[in-house]
């Protein structure tokens, strides 16, 4: 099916009408972030991003594409797995202590403009939070109600490598509706693919028409062009074994000299899920609250044990993050933890590039082990 | 010295020793009995004997002036007491006190060192048995040094 | 092998402190009973998250018998939360989440010799397994308990060790890192005891708990005697926040200590066990 700009506005209105909080890309503070969207005009029309290791700039496009950029510093995890969440409060009465779980009303989210890599990232977090022995019930509620409108990328970012990770650029499943932007001079349409019953029902409400073969071909061409523009690549062949057998590789020392352990990568990464809990109490000591917050394995405190941290050096913390993302994640959840979105490369203040680090270790496996002994 | 030779070959330290070598060692050996509280040797004394414990328990201890002695290792049945006899200037580095009635075989150090010089095969067999003991003791001492049960 | 999940594994259940016993200068044992309802069942080796109101939460192994009506926890005062818990008196309220984690292989070990090797506070997480084995003594071969402490004064559960020693069907050897002349027992490290005690290394299960360095040396000594890696079990420890595998803090290589541990079979972690800062 095909819709135009009016159809897109109708889509936003229909979702809002059904009680969804519609979230989509918007320009703010020099970046494209996810914010509430009420009008098509709220979207970043005519904007694109120039991304490189440690660099992110917005630039004006020659055309008025609504989705002509890659991904920004935020990911959808900030809605599904919020940065701060109250878990419970406790009150100490005269004879008894009472505990009450945090209020569990969550808004229904509609995500407009979810990229293929982001769909995979959401699926990865689904596995983390819902497939263990203790599923996260608040995540499950937010996730269950979420309506996903995917967008197939028309432009690869400078640090993208979804092709290597087999997570894009085309969204193949995990959405209610998927749009491919077709912009040709004055003609501005969106090819719509239906991914679920809810998506089909919503599409029925919108002004739409059948797509011609030419539209289908154009959409395929958009995706193919994006796939050929990848800024990075990562050889995933045997990467788990490669990293797990090179835990003492000298490359870890090299990257440690650059890494500031600032944790930006973990904040922008759409799959990083680590949290901490904080126990607060008021001055009278009669009420207490536990709050869960995002945390990063790069902090010194993260692995605190018996008076010190298990991972006290930057070397060990960078190694932990990268081997978790590309190797241990397979042991834990059956897939890679990386979707090739490139955010960690773009937002690292010193431009450390996970694809470069992996390639360096791959090119000199078992380095640092020295010569062999004499055999006579 | 037939009785001693027999006792020696039964001791775990000498497992696999040839009859010829056992005889050589037995020729330097004598029986000992230490009552509880008696000292096998004192720190600074000449290390002219080493002991194979047949029965009992020996505490190795060191005294600092003004402090009660600290026991840093106990050795029991089947174990060897004394390594300083191997290394010049052949002086004991701690006190060795019998904690309970202890029976041991003492092997004359000078006698055995001479025999090892003459018969290098005997020397090598002795070294092969001594070194693992020393390495294990070193590892154990390091673990004690780490004070793993102490508070951080 | 976790117990059945609570309605909300993130919310502490309210418990009341019963008997409190000062074991050592810095170590206290508390008996905890639920304010309402029965205490959940647990397997030896599992732990609870204990919450001191307004202060915080820490993971403490359960160290009591399976058939007691209460949870027993031995806590060493090493930080703000443990200090607060150690100061609780009978009648105080405490929050408990759990039990969580994997357990000692007391069933798999039936028919074999069982070697309990404990160092310091490590005897506490092993004690429920010792209780289980002693309560089902005929099902096991030789039972050996090896225990190392800093010095005779700081020996945990000393009276109980003496009671166990009186049994004719258990071998116990204790040792201390150093002592004065009043001590007539062993002085030396626990791994040195392994070489001297009688057990069949080819048909034994070794259950080891103590400071990580002590466990490393112990595993070396066990393997040198011929005990195979898939019959050596350790209880690991890492920073814990959620205890249910969602916060990421307790990761040890690919393993989550809270749900893949704390009891771990050595062969599963052999490669990373001695690596630093994993």
């Amino acid at each position: 099916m095909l819709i135009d700009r009016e159809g897109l506005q109708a889509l936003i209105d229909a979702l809002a009408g059904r009680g969804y909080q519609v979230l989509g890309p918007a320009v703010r503070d020099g970046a494209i972030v996810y914010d509430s969207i009420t009008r098509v005009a709220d979207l970043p029309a005519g904007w694109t991003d120039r991304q490189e290791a440690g660099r992110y700039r917005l630039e004006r496009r020659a055309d008025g594409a609504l989705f002509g950029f890659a991904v920004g510093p935020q990911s959808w995890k900030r809605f599904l797995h919020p940065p701060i969440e109250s878990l419970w409060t406790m009150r100490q009465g005269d004879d008894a202590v009472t505990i009450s779980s945090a209020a569990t009303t969550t808004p229904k989210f509609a995500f407009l403009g979810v990229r293929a890599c982001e769909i995979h990232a959401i699926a990865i977090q689904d596995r983390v939070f819902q497939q263990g022995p203790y599923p996260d019930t608040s995540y499950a509620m937010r996730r269950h109600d979420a309506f996903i409108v995917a967008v197939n990328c028309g432009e690869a970012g400078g640090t993208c490598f979804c092709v290597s990770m087999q997570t894009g650029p085309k969204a193949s499943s995990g959405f209610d509706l998927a749009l491919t932007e077709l912009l040709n001079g004055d003609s501005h349409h969106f090819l719509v693919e239906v991914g679920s019953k809810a998506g089909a029902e919503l599409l029925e409400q919108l002004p739409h028409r059948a797509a011609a073969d030419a539209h289908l071909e154009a959409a395929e061409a958009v995706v193919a062009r994006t796939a050929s523009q990848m800024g990075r690549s990562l050889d995933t062949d045997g990467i788990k074994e490669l990293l797990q057998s090179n835990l003492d590789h000298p490359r870890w020392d090299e990257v440690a000299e650059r890494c500031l352990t600032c944790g930006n990568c973990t904040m922008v990464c759409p799959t990083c899920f680590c949290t901490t809990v904080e126990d607060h109490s008021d001055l009278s000591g009669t009420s207490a609250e536990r709050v869960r917050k995002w945390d990063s394995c790069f902090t010194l405190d993260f692995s605190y044990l018996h008076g010190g941290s298990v991972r006290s050096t930057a070397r060990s913390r960078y190694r932990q993050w990268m081997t978790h993302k590309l190797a241990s994640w397979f042991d834990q959840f059956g897939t890679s933890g990386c979707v090739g979105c490139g955010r960690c490369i773009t937002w690292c203040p010193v431009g450390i590039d996970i694809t470069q680090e992996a390639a360096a270790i791959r090119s000199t496996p078992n380095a640092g082990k020295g010569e062999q002994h004499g055999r006579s | 010295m037939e009785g001693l030779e027999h006792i020696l070959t039964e001791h775990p330290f000498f497992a696999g020793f040839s009859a010829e070598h056992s005889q050589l060692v037995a020729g330097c050996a004598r029986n000992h009995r230490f009552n509880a509280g008696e000292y096998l040797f004192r720190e600074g004394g000449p290390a002219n004997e080493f002991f194979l414990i047949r029965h009992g328990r020996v505490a190795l201890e060191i005294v600092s002036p003004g402090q009660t002695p600290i026991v840093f290792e106990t050795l029991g049945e089947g174990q060897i007491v004394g390594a300083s006899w191997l290394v010049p200037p052949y002086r004991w580095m701690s006190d060795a006190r019998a904690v309970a009635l202890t029976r041991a075989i003492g092997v004359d150090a000078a006698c055995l060192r001479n025999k090892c010089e003459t018969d290098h095969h005997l020397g090598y067999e002795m070294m092969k048995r001594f070194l693992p003991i020393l390495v294990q003791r070193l590892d154990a001492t390091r673990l004690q040094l780490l004070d793993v049960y102490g508070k951080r | 092998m976790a117990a059945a999940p609570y309605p909300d594994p993130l919310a502490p259940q309210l418990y009341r402190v019963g008997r409190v016993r000062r074991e050592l200068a810095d170590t206290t044992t508390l008996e905890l009973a639920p304010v309402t309802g029965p205490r959940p069942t647990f397997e030896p080796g599992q732990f609870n998250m204990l919450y001191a109101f307004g202060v915080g939460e820490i993971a403490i192994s359960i160290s009591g018998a399976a058939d007691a009506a209460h949870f027993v926890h031995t806590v060493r005062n090493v930080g703000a939360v443990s200090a607060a818990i150690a100061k609780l008196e009978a009648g105080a309220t405490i929050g408990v989440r759990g039990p969580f984690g994997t357990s000692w292989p007391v069933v798999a070990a039936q028919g074999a010799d069982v070697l309990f090797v404990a160092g310091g506070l490590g005897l506490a997480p092993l004690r429920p397994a010792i209780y289980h084995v002693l309560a089902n003594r005929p099902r096991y071969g030789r039972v050996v308990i090896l225990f190392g402490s800093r010095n005779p004064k700081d020996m945990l559960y000393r009276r109980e060790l003496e009671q166990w020693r009186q049994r004719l069907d258990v071998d116990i050897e204790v040792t201390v890192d150093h002592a004065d002349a009043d001590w007539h027992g062993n002085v030396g490290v626990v791994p040195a005891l392994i070489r001297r005690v009688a057990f069949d290394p080819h048909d034994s299960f070794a259950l080891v708990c103590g400071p990580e360095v002590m466990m490393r040396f112990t595993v070396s000594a066990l393997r040198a005697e011929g005990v195979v890696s898939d019959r050596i079990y350790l209880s690991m420890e890492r920073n814990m926040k959620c205890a249910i595998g969602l916060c990421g803090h307790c990761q040890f290589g690919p393993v989550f200590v809270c749900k893949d541990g704390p009891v771990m079979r050595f062969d599963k972690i052999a490669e990373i066990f001695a690596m630093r800062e994993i």
Side-chain angles (χ1 to χ4, degrees):
Chain A
M1 295 296 161
L2 213 64
I3 62 172
D4 57 14
R5 287 178 68 120
E6 273 89 49
L8 190 59
Q9 182 63 55
L11 169 63
I12 296 170
D13 295 336
L15 286 167
R18 280 159 205 230
Y20 284 98
Q21 187 189 352
V22 183
L23 297 153
V27 176
R28 201 173 70 220
D29 296 336
I32 294 176
V33 300
Y34 295 133
D35 206 349
S36 283
I37 300 288
T38 48
R39 312 211 43 76
V40 168
D42 295 336
L43 296 166
W47 284 103
T48 188
D49 50 28
R50 288 274 168 264
Q51 300 196 37
E52 244 314 316
R55 197 172 195 282
Y56 179 99
R57 294 286 185 278
L58 291 186
E59 266 181 24
R60 275 260 167 237
R61 295 176 66 89
D63 60 31
L66 296 177
F67 298 102
F69 44 86
V71 292
Q74 293 178 350
S75 63
W76 304 102
K77 83 172 179 181
R78 65 184 305 265
F79 305 108
L80 296 173
H81 175 53
I84 303 179
E85 197 181 1
S86 176
L87 296 180
W88 47 257
T89 51
M90 240 193 215
R91 242 160 272 285
Q92 186 134 58
D94 288 322
D95 2 274
V97 178
T98 51
I99 179 168
S100 46
S101 286
T104 48
T105 50
T106 47
K108 284 195 314 184
F109 295 123
F111 297 148
L112 173 61
V114 184
R115 305 311 174 94
C117 60
E118 298 185 302
I119 290 179
H120 278 92
I122 292 172
I124 285 172
Q125 287 212 330
D126 287 349
R127 248 173 249 118
V128 172
F129 292 122
Q130 298 186 288
Q131 280 184 16
Y134 299 98
D136 184 333
T137 45
S138 49
Y139 178 89
M141 272 190 316
R142 286 185 287 263
R143 180 71 183 92
H144 181 261
D145 291 338
F147 189 97
I148 295 186
V149 181
V151 160
N152 291 315
C153 298
E155 182 127 349
T159 54
C160 286
F161 55 103
C162 64
V163 169
S164 297
M165 305 311 293
Q166 299 179 299
T167 54
K170 182 163 172 20
S172 52
S173 64
F175 53 81
D176 296 293
L177 294 170
L179 310 176
T180 309
E181 189 165 24
L182 302 173
L183 187 54
N184 196 355
D186 286 337
S187 152
H188 196 173
H189 294 100
F190 299 88
L191 185 73
V192 184
E193 206 184 319
V194 171
S196 73
K197 207 158 72 90
E201 279 168 12
L202 196 74
L203 184 56
E204 281 306 302
Q205 316 287 312
L206 313 177
H208 63 280
R209 59 184 166 97
D213 283 344
H215 296 120
L216 296 169
E217 279 161 23
E220 270 168 49
V222 162
V223 168
R225 195 187 67 231
T226 307
S228 70
Q229 290 172 341
M230 291 287 129
R232 294 288 191 279
S233 70
L234 181 73
D235 182 356
T236 57
D237 191 30
I239 185 126
K240 174 178 122 75
E241 290 69 29
L242 175 72
L243 293 180
Q244 286 177 337
S245 60
N246 277 286
L247 296 174
D248 275 330
H249 196 283
R251 185 73 188 195
W252 302 119
D253 299 291
E254 286 174 45
V255 72
E257 281 177 21
R258 303 163 59 202
C259 176
L260 307 173
T261 67
C262 70
N264 264 15
C265 49
T266 57
M267 298 292 111
V268 298
C269 174
T271 64
C272 273
F273 61 87
C274 288
T275 52
T276 186
V277 285
E278 281 178 11
D279 283 306
H280 304 147
S281 60
D282 66 357
L283 286 173
S284 66
T286 54
S287 84
E289 185 191 13
R290 178 167 298 162
V291 171
R292 179 169 61 191
K293 293 185 172 180
W294 285 3
D295 201 352
S296 171
C297 56
F298 278 97
T299 66
L300 195 51
D301 273 1
F302 190 82
S303 59
Y304 179 82
L305 188 71
H306 299 322
S309 293
V310 173
R311 290 178 218 120
S312 58
T313 61
R315 169 186 183 267
S316 64
R317 283 177 264 154
Y318 186 85
R319 178 180 67 183
Q320 164 64 20
W321 178 74
M322 188 168 146
T323 56
H324 185 201
K325 195 64 60 184
L326 297 179
S328 318
W329 211 285
F330 282 100
D331 297 310
Q332 296 170 350
F333 306 110
T335 69
S336 178
C338 176
V339 296
C341 69
R343 285 181 178 90
C344 56
I345 304 171
T346 296
W347 294 98
C348 173
V350 297
I352 293 171
D353 182 336
I354 192 174
T355 64
Q356 210 173 58
E357 297 308 305
I361 292 176
R362 190 183 283 281
S363 67
T364 55
N366 307 311
K369 290 195 181 154
E371 289 176 28
Q372 295 235 320
H373 290 106
R375 282 272 170 271
S376 57
Chain B
M1 296 273 185
E2 251 181 34
L4 260 182
E5 193 184 321
H6 179 72
I7 293 169
L8 268 173
T9 50
E10 303 248 287
H11 195 281
F13 181 81
F14 287 105
F17 234 54
S18 73
E20 188 202 329
H21 287 154
S22 297
Q23 239 178 1
L24 283 171
V25 177
C28 299
R30 62 167 169 154
N31 254 319
H32 277 286
R33 198 183 89 157
F34 301 99
N35 291 315
E38 271 185 68
Y39 283 83
L40 282 71
F41 51 78
R42 298 277 195 173
E43 186 180 335
N48 49 19
E49 202 169 13
F50 73 92
F51 303 88
L52 294 83
I53 311 263
R54 294 178 57 207
H55 168 83
R57 180 175 284 147
V58 175
L60 300 180
E61 61 189 23
I62 284 187
V63 183
S64 274
Q67 291 177 12
T68 53
I70 295 180
V71 177
F72 55 86
E73 188 161 19
T74 57
L75 300 163
E77 190 174 316
Q79 293 190 290
I80 305 293
V81 179
S84 301
W85 63 276
L86 278 165
V87 182
Y90 311 126
R91 296 239 160 252
W92 293 122
M93 300 297 284
S94 67
D95 293 349
R97 170 177 53 82
V99 176
L101 174 69
T102 298
R103 281 193 277 274
I105 297 176
V107 180
D108 183 311
C111 170
L112 189 56
R113 282 198 301 265
N114 286 335
K115 288 187 180 177
C116 290
E117 273 301 319
T118 316
D119 180 350
H120 284 179
H121 288 299
L122 171 65
Y124 185 58
E125 289 299 317
M126 287 299 300
M127 289 303 143
K128 265 203 306 200
R129 285 163 175 73
F130 246 97
L131 273 169
I133 291 174
L134 293 179
V135 171
Q136 282 162 11
R137 303 253 172 106
L138 186 60
D139 289 342
T141 306
R142 284 170 171 162
L143 186 54
Q144 281 165 288
L145 203 60
L146 287 173
D147 193 23
V148 291
Y149 308 128
K151 228 195 275 202
R152 296 280 149 260
Chain C
M1 199 175 43
Y6 267 134
D8 180 3
L10 291 177
Q13 304 295 303
L14 298 173
Y15 276 63
R16 189 140 290 136
V17 178
R19 227 165 29 134
V20 174
R21 181 209 215 111
R22 305 268 169 242
E23 305 272 1
L24 306 171
D26 63 354
T27 306
T28 306
T29 294
L30 301 98
E31 290 180 3
L32 309 179
V35 167
T36 53
R39 189 214 75 193
T41 56
F42 73 93
E43 306 292 325
Q46 289 193 302
F47 67 97
N48 283 326
M49 294 298 281
L50 301 184
Y51 172 65
F53 192 91
V55 183
E57 214 183 34
I58 46 176
I60 305 283
S61 290
I62 301 168
S63 60
D67 54 5
H70 41 252
F71 278 132
V72 177
H73 288 277
T74 297
V75 181
R76 190 179 189 188
N77 179 353
V78 292
V81 182
S82 52
I85 292 174
K87 279 207 278 268
L88 292 175
E89 289 173 355
T93 308
I94 187 172
V96 177
R97 291 195 297 122
F100 299 120
T102 55
S103 57
W104 297 110
V106 290
V107 173
Q110 286 177 14
D113 288 356
V114 184
L115 216 65
F116 294 100
V117 190
L121 195 58
L123 185 54
L126 270 174
R127 193 167 66 164
I130 294 175
Y131 285 154
H132 178 100
V133 167
L134 294 184
N136 295 279
R137 187 65 187 88
R139 299 195 194 161
Y140 301 91
R142 276 202 157 92
V143 173
V144 179
I145 300 174
L146 303 179
F147 179 44
S149 300
R150 194 159 188 251
N151 56 50
K153 186 167 60 69
D154 291 336
M155 196 174 280
L156 188 61
Y157 306 149
R158 182 150 178 182
R159 240 184 299 158
E160 202 157 17
L161 285 162
E162 286 165 4
Q163 279 168 9
W164 290 335
R165 166 164 263 146
Q166 306 215 342
R167 291 178 66 126
L168 300 174
D169 54 2
V170 176
D171 289 331
I172 293 198
E173 287 290 342
V174 302
T175 187
V176 292
D177 276 356
H178 46 78
D180 58 25
D182 290 336
W183 172 252
H184 298 286
N186 290 310
V187 176
V189 297
V190 169
L193 294 176
I194 290 169
R195 283 185 274 278
R196 298 162 45 69
V197 85
F199 69 101
D200 183 355
H202 305 294
D203 194 17
S204 294
F205 278 72
L207 281 52
V208 184
C209 188
E212 212 164 299
V213 177
M214 170 258 172
M215 292 201 290
R216 292 210 299 259
F217 278 69
T218 297
V219 169
S220 282
L222 286 167
R223 295 179 74 206
E225 290 302 303
V227 183
V228 288
S229 297
D230 63 5
R231 288 205 167 174
I232 298 175
Y233 288 77
L234 313 172
S235 184
M236 294 298 297
E237 208 181 342
R238 282 293 184 269
N239 183 298
M240 283 190 194
K241 292 283 187 293
C242 71
I244 57 176
L246 298 180
C247 75
H249 279 249
C250 69
Q251 287 175 86
F252 171 54
V255 156
F256 287 91
V257 176
C258 68
K259 61 174 177 142
D260 306 315
V263 176
M264 307 229 48
R265 213 173 74 182
F266 176 67
D267 62 329
K268 301 255 164 84
I269 52 172
E271 276 175 35
I272 49 173
F273 188 52
M275 292 199 85
R276 63 168 72 175
E277 299 196 286
I278 287 287

